Amino acid sequence: MLRLVTFGGIWLADEERGTVPLPQKALFGLVYMLASGETELPRDYLARLLWAGDQDAAKINFRKMTERVRKCALDGWPAPLDFTASTVQLSAEPLEADFSVFSSDLEALPRLNAMSKLMTRQFMDEANLPVGLKPWVEKQRSVQWQRFRAGLFEAQAAAAHRSEWADVKDSAKQLLEHDPGDSAVREVLLGAHRHDDQPGPSRSSNSRAEFTLPAGTAIVPSMPMELPRLVLLPPQEAEQNAAYPASALMEDITISLCSLRTVAVVAPYTAARIRQDADKMAQLERHSISYVLDTNISSEGLFVQMIFLPSDSVLWAERFRLNASSLASHRRQVAQMIVMAISGHLQRTEIVLADYRAHPDVYRSYLTSAQHLNKFTLPEVRRARNAFRETLRMRGDFAPALAGLSRTYSWEWVLTARGETELLVQAEETARKAVALQPELASAHRELGLSRLYRGDVDGSLEAFDRAEGLSPHLADAICGYADALVHASKPADGLAKISNAIRLNPICPDDYFWIAAGASYFLGEFHQAIGYIDRMGDSSSARRLLAASYAMAGDTAKARFHRRRAQELNPQFDLDKWLSVLPVKEQWQKELYREGLMKAGF
């Protein structure tokens, strides 16, 4: 028996010998004939489908393909195609194609499950699909979705037990991902969700779902192609342990999101694949996702954050302190609270999303530029500056890029430690432009606060950071900057609390988070803790001076002098007295404590 696979790739397998080495074009022709119900076709007709352009060349290519198929048969492989002088025929070899399930006579529920499994991948998903076949393939895909949808309603009528309703529910999610505006499928999903929660046989397949959104939630119909796409990334714990309360909560959130109708929700099977992928950003871009709802369950409870991908910004985040028992009894209330928050942010970002769709290249350029700021080193800061300038050449009034450019000036001032005032003047001027263009942009106020901080205006800096945090209470970068300002305002304990919160919000954070945490720890006298934070940096070269001072104050003279030498290699012009004279701290004791550590290290 031969088995033809057409979803997620295309190949022909022999049960005894494995994959049959047929030419790909022969497989395309085989699929076309089987799916079209053609047992015989003219050679010229099939050649035109498989090779566009010059027909003489197509005939030559067809003859070569024929020879390869015949050679395959001579080598002992079963051949599904026979060739005559004028036709191509299906051979008598017994063959089963995966797409035959769409026209099979299986019972409703097994047939739905089989179709659902196939539709997690795409039919004839080949990059080099012949031009002549593309319209036919698109039509086949459309027909498959129609038959899958029809199968859902047949299975709904047949479903009786909880496990059967779970299967109906999963298929409904897939169909809603494909067409978020399908209200009939949405009704099936809501009904199936209620039945899935009930033990034993259900009472009625047509009773209305009890899971509803609170009054006031926006439910606005829209065309499917206009809807932004959102993915809910489940917590790793829910995936690995399948704990009922956690998985049930994710289910409630998903169902409620589907009810919004203002966003296309990515189906759970796709979300799971994205969560597991090593390159999540590539997967998110591939699936055209605008919003990510990331979740994590720990001993502290459930943490949820909503990320707007075009600008890589955290729109909302919240922590729910729940134990297993309370999660089981209050999960629907928690789900509704989460979806209410999401609904509000979907409305508030409509204008930004429309702007992204109008200028996608600008946003992509900005995100590429911002990636250079993940490493707190002078070469990366200068690369970021050049990249932000390139973004601004594409669009001069793009406030996020101006904010990023401002940061590069502030960071170069820190990294070179030469006290060059001009850098900070440029940083503040650029940040002011960003604030003027987009007063509600938290990152612009963050950069204004940073430049003011290093210019010695600590109170003005705290004011700007407070504004940034007020605009976006869960923007980790803004909280990080606020922490830095508090440390320089001689409040290292408050600064450490802030930066610890920023790290919780952004666990895979840039190096400057750990650098700020190390500085706060140093001024609290926690020198080993400071060393620990610096060790967590991907590239700790920028923190060599602080690392040397920390080791010196901790009593490890050898390591202190080692890191002092490394720091001097990176910046041989460093002048201790000059740097301390421009270091913006509110109280003198901080300068003296830093001076003591640096001098003990040999500076």
Side-chain angles (χ1 to χ4, degrees):
M1 170 70 78
L2 294 175
R3 176 164 177 77
L4 179 63
V5 175
T6 63
F7 282 78
I10 177 168
W11 68 88
L12 184 67
D14 178 12
E15 288 182 349
E16 295 180 0
R17 299 182 59 184
T19 303
V20 181
L22 284 179
Q24 190 176 55
K25 289 291 177 69
L27 290 173
F28 289 152
L30 177 62
V31 174
Y32 178 81
M33 293 181 70
L34 285 168
S36 301
E38 302 284 355
T39 58
E40 184 176 21
L41 285 174
R43 289 171 62 114
D44 290 350
Y45 177 80
L46 197 54
R48 285 195 299 273
L49 283 178
L50 298 178
W51 285 277
D54 185 89
Q55 289 308 295
D56 290 334
K59 290 177 182 178
I60 293 170
N61 287 326
F62 193 88
R63 283 198 297 272
K64 290 179 179 178
M65 181 196 77
T66 302
E67 291 169 2
R68 290 180 62 191
V69 174
R70 286 172 173 160
K71 182 180 183 303
C72 183
L74 289 172
D75 290 339
W77 289 96
L81 297 172
D82 291 331
F83 299 92
T84 69
S86 60
T87 66
V88 183
Q89 302 171 347
L90 293 178
S91 72
E93 287 286 348
L95 187 151
E96 181 183 19
D98 54 5
F99 55 77
S100 64
V101 69
F102 292 99
S103 55
S104 72
D105 56 1
L106 286 172
E107 292 184 1
L109 283 161
R111 183 166 172 262
L112 180 69
N113 288 337
M115 288 190 289
S116 173
K117 185 176 180 181
L118 280 185
M119 298 300 278
T120 61
R121 296 175 175 82
Q122 193 170 49
F123 175 67
M124 297 281 277
D125 187 15
E126 294 291 332
N128 56 346
L129 194 66
V131 174
L133 273 182
K134 286 184 178 179
W136 176 82
V137 168
E138 288 300 325
K139 184 178 179 181
Q140 291 297 307
R141 291 171 180 168
S142 177
V143 169
Q144 288 160 0
W145 280 108
Q146 291 170 19
R147 290 179 177 173
F148 183 28
R149 183 178 185 273
L152 174 75
F153 295 109
E154 293 174 12
Q156 177 201 22
H161 298 281
R162 180 174 177 176
S163 61
E164 294 170 341
W165 279 110
D167 294 337
V168 169
K169 182 171 57 179
D170 290 342
S171 295
K173 290 175 192 172
Q174 282 179 264
L175 283 158
L176 277 179
E177 180 186 12
H178 174 69
D179 182 1
D182 194 329
S183 57
V185 171
R186 182 174 289 105
E187 287 299 316
V188 173
L189 174 63
L190 295 174
H193 183 60
R194 184 178 69 83
H195 286 297
D196 187 24
D197 268 0
Q198 293 177 349
S202 61
R203 294 187 298 273
S204 168
S205 61
N206 297 315
S207 55
R208 191 167 181 83
E210 295 174 0
F211 187 81
T212 57
L213 288 172
T217 302
I219 300 181
V220 183
S222 181
M223 292 297 291
M225 291 304 292
E226 297 174 354
L227 293 179
R229 287 168 64 79
L230 179 148
V231 64
L232 169 61
L233 298 181
Q236 297 285 2
E237 292 82 355
E239 288 180 346
Q240 293 167 2
N241 302 324
Y244 171 71
S247 60
L249 176 59
M250 295 304 108
E251 180 76 16
D252 287 336
I253 295 170
T254 301
I255 300 298
S256 194
L257 286 171
C258 289
S259 300
L260 286 178
R261 305 190 190 185
T262 53
V263 65
V265 181
V266 173
Y269 70 88
T270 304
R273 288 213 297 263
I274 292 172
R275 165 69 84 188
Q276 294 160 5
D277 199 281
D279 190 352
K280 290 183 180 60
M281 288 305 298
Q283 286 293 324
L284 293 169
E285 185 173 350
R286 179 189 171 199
H287 290 282
S288 303
I289 291 166
S290 300
Y291 300 92
V292 174
L293 193 64
D294 198 9
T295 62
N296 181 52
I297 290 179
S298 67
S299 57
E300 296 182 351
L302 172 69
F303 176 71
V304 185
Q305 63 176 348
M306 182 182 184
I307 302 166
F308 183 55
L309 280 184
S311 59
D312 193 24
S313 54
V314 177
L315 300 179
W316 170 80
E318 190 60 77
R319 191 177 299 278
F320 299 88
R321 297 190 179 279
L322 299 167
N323 55 41
S325 59
S326 63
L327 185 56
S329 58
H330 299 298
R331 59 184 175 84
R332 288 195 171 176
Q333 292 92 322
V334 172
Q336 290 180 354
M337 289 169 61
I338 291 170
V339 176
M340 281 288 288
I342 292 168
S343 177
H345 284 290
L346 287 172
Q347 294 179 58
R348 284 192 283 276
T349 54
E350 280 179 354
I351 295 175
V352 182
L353 182 62
D355 187 63
Y356 163 68
R357 287 174 168 172
H359 307 282
D361 292 343
V362 174
Y363 281 84
R364 290 193 191 101
S365 176
Y366 164 74
L367 290 177
T368 301
S369 308
Q371 287 176 2
H372 291 295
L373 295 178
N374 287 334
K375 291 185 178 180
F376 194 57
T377 65
L378 193 57
E380 287 299 305
V381 165
R382 287 175 173 168
R383 289 189 188 100
R385 181 176 305 150
N386 291 334
F388 283 127
R389 284 173 174 166
E390 184 60 35
T391 303
L392 290 166
R393 276 191 282 271
M394 299 168 67
R395 184 174 167 191
D397 63 346
F398 192 58
L402 284 166
L405 182 62
S406 172
R407 188 185 300 195
T408 68
Y409 293 127
S410 296
W411 277 11
E412 180 164 341
W413 182 85
V414 174
L415 291 168
T416 54
R418 299 190 191 113
E420 296 176 20
T421 306
E422 181 59 30
L423 285 170
L424 297 181
V425 171
Q426 288 180 289
E428 186 169 356
E429 288 178 353
T430 308
R432 286 184 184 278
K433 287 179 184 177
V435 170
L437 284 167
Q438 198 170 335
E440 302 304 305
L441 183 65
S443 62
H445 291 276
R446 176 203 190 280
E447 303 314 328
L448 181 60
L450 194 65
S451 60
R452 284 177 173 174
L453 173 65
Y454 295 147
R455 293 196 73 180
D457 182 6
V458 177
D459 292 334
S461 171
L462 291 172
E463 180 184 334
F465 281 121
D466 189 63
R467 174 65 174 154
E469 189 177 44
L471 287 168
S472 186
H474 302 285
L475 178 61
D477 279 358
I479 297 171
C480 170
Y482 205 159
D484 195 19
L486 287 167
V487 173
H488 286 78
S490 303
K491 298 178 179 179
D494 293 342
L496 186 59
K498 282 278 186 190
I499 195 62
S500 298
N501 184 33
I503 292 171
R504 281 195 297 271
L505 287 171
N506 188 9
I508 308 175
C509 56
D511 284 346
D512 63 311
Y513 284 52
F514 298 124
W515 175 70
I516 291 168
S521 299
Y522 181 90
F523 291 117
L524 287 170
E526 300 291 343
F527 305 117
H528 288 292
Q529 182 172 281
I531 293 166
Y533 277 119
I534 295 171
D535 285 344
R536 292 172 67 181
M537 295 174 67
D539 184 340
S540 60
S541 57
S542 58
R544 291 285 183 189
R545 288 192 302 275
L546 180 58
L547 186 58
S550 298
Y551 271 118
M553 296 299 284
D556 193 333
T557 305
K559 285 186 177 178
R561 295 190 179 277
F562 169 78
H563 289 292
R564 185 258 301 165
R565 289 193 296 270
R566 296 292 297 274
Q568 288 178 323
E569 289 170 6
L570 289 169
N571 188 358
Q573 286 82 35
F574 176 72
D575 185 303
L576 175 59
D577 290 330
K578 182 179 179 181
W579 176 238
L580 289 175
S581 69
V582 298
L583 188 66
V585 293
K586 197 161 189 178
E587 297 184 12
Q588 188 64 27
W589 67 265
Q590 277 185 280
K591 286 189 180 183
E592 295 308 318
L593 185 61
Y594 196 27
R595 182 194 301 274
E596 181 183 356
L598 291 173
M599 292 185 69
K600 282 184 176 180
F603 285 96

